[in-house]
Amino acid sequence: MKDFQDKIAVITGAASGIGRALADVFAEEGMRLVLADVEPTALAKAASELTAEGYDVLPVVTDVRRAEDVQRLADQTISEFGAVHLVCNNAGVFAGGTLWESPIEDYDWLFGVNVWGVVHGIRTFVPIMLEQDTECHILNTASMAALTVMPFAGIYHATKHAVLALSEALHHELAARDAKIKVSALCPELVSTHIDDAARNRPEELGRGLDTAEARMVNQIISTGMKNGAAPRVLAERALRGIQEDRFYLLADDGWRDSANARCDEIRDAINPVLRPPL
Ligand SMILES: NC(=O)c1ccc[n+]([C@@H]2O[C@H](COP(=O)([O-])OP(=O)(O)OC[C@H]3O[C@@H](n4cnc5c(N)ncnc54)[C@H](O)[C@@H]3O)[C@@H](O)[C@H]2O)c1
């Protein structure tokens, strides 16, 4: 997609971090925005900031874990703007700890937001885009965690591997149909956002998660990483360029990339995995 003027972008997880920066960058390209997030006050704040700058914005409180919420998001998008050209399946959450000690609710929550959120985005919006038959793009926020595996963050890595696999399959399937819809997988490194406080949006019925030494350690690493991470705007601009240039893999270019490359070498040579922290 090269021409963004007056096109419609739907962004999930738009109230904070990378999603909020995507909203800024696509608004500056002339797009009209549908902002979706589960946190109503943060969403209202993001929408009023963008409206004050003169942008056309529709906020829709959405829990991406729920198919009916994402369907409502699509319905409101079409009734307000009549079309959709870019969908950013970006909402995501993190929780750490060993795989065997993590409560089943951690799996429910991370797979619910990170994987089912993307599944609902694909199942809801791709048929609309196919029907429209105009140039469109799906941007799924995966992570460099989709190309690497670190201990005590296994559930998160598994969800992001799933997002990358879904994105790659979607890319092939749309090409097989000769569709005008392109796909990119945004794979950020550590970015300064509020993902270290993802539990602020953890549903009450899913409890509070683990409080073990490893869970605290990985949360501490993430919190420190947040302070030294890339600016969300850097990722949003990388996403914009990737969409303009029709590139699928939008990868980090730091220690995470070295870790991912080393893992590819191990897989190619069938060598047992060696832990290579990217930091
Ligand atoms: N920050 C990083 O270092 C980093 C690195 C790689 C990938 N990512 C990915 O980037 C994406 C954005 O995360 P971020 O870092 O900007 O974090 P963030 O916490 O700043 O923003 C995430 C947004 O998603 C929203 N959200 C959470 N659960 C939701 C739900 N059920 N439905 C709808 N919205 C929901 C939150 O309210 C929040 O506004 C995520 O997919 C994350 O996994 C982040």
Side-chain angles (χ1 to χ4, degrees):
M1 210 166 110
K2 302 245 183 296
D3 181 17
F4 295 81
Q5 189 65 43
D6 292 325
K7 300 276 172 62
I8 316 305
V10 175
I11 304 166
T12 71
S16 175
I18 296 170
R20 180 68 185 78
L22 289 169
D24 278 338
V25 164
F26 292 127
E28 288 160 22
E29 290 299 307
M31 297 192 89
R32 289 179 283 168
L33 305 177
V34 183
L35 306 182
D37 204 284
V38 79
E39 196 175 335
T41 41
L43 179 62
K45 182 170 176 286
S48 70
E49 286 165 2
L50 285 153
T51 306
E53 289 179 55
Y55 299 123
D56 210 353
V57 176
L58 172 70
V60 183
V61 176
T62 308
D63 183 343
V64 298
R65 295 177 307 146
R66 302 186 191 290
E68 60 274 23
D69 275 31
V70 179
Q71 185 59 55
R72 193 166 40 81
L73 174 65
D75 292 344
Q76 293 196 25
T77 301
I78 298 305
S79 88
E80 178 79 13
F81 294 120
V84 57
H85 304 97
L86 168 63
V87 171
C88 304
N89 291 307
N90 168 77
V93 292
F94 177 87
T98 60
L99 290 172
W100 65 91
E101 288 167 310
S102 295
I104 204 76
E105 289 82 2
D106 281 13
Y107 288 80
D108 274 0
W109 184 41
L110 269 69
F111 275 88
V113 180
N114 299 4
V115 181
W116 280 103
V118 174
V119 171
H120 296 322
I122 291 170
R123 295 190 73 258
T124 307
F125 285 101
V126 169
I128 298 172
M129 290 173 162
L130 285 170
E131 176 76 25
Q132 244 175 230
D133 200 27
T134 54
E135 279 212 319
C136 291
H137 207 103
I138 304 273
L139 176 81
N140 292 332
T141 304
S143 170
M144 289 306 286
L147 302 160
T148 56
V149 179
M150 300 295 147
F152 317 126
I155 306 174
Y156 184 77
H157 280 275
T159 64
K160 292 301 180 176
H161 278 63
V163 171
L164 188 60
L166 289 166
S167 305
E168 210 168 319
L170 182 64
H171 164 86
H172 292 311
E173 289 170 4
L174 290 169
R177 291 276 183 97
D178 219 6
K180 293 179 183 154
I181 311 166
K182 305 295 183 195
V183 183
S184 298
L186 181 62
C187 296
E189 58 278 44
L190 276 171
V191 185
S192 294
T193 68
H194 297 295
I195 200 166
D196 58 333
D197 185 26
R200 70 192 185 281
N201 292 314
R202 185 176 172 123
E204 251 174 55
E205 69 271 18
L206 296 184
R208 295 175 55 82
L210 267 188
D211 187 23
T212 59
E214 290 108 339
R216 283 195 294 277
M217 180 188 71
V218 79
N219 285 335
Q220 185 55 49
I221 292 170
I222 301 275
S223 289
T224 308
M226 292 298 94
K227 293 187 187 79
N228 307 317
R233 172 110 198 166
V234 170
L235 275 296
E237 287 174 354
R238 190 181 297 161
L240 173 65
R241 277 196 308 279
I243 294 169
Q244 286 169 329
E245 294 164 11
D246 182 20
R247 282 186 292 112
F248 178 85
Y249 288 109
L250 308 182
L251 304 180
D253 202 14
D254 62 359
W256 285 96
R257 186 77 165 263
D258 300 334
S259 275
N261 289 339
R263 182 185 182 218
C264 288
D265 291 345
E266 287 163 4
I267 294 169
R268 187 197 54 223
D269 298 335
I271 296 169
N272 288 0
V274 175
L275 182 59
R276 281 191 195 77
L279 306 174

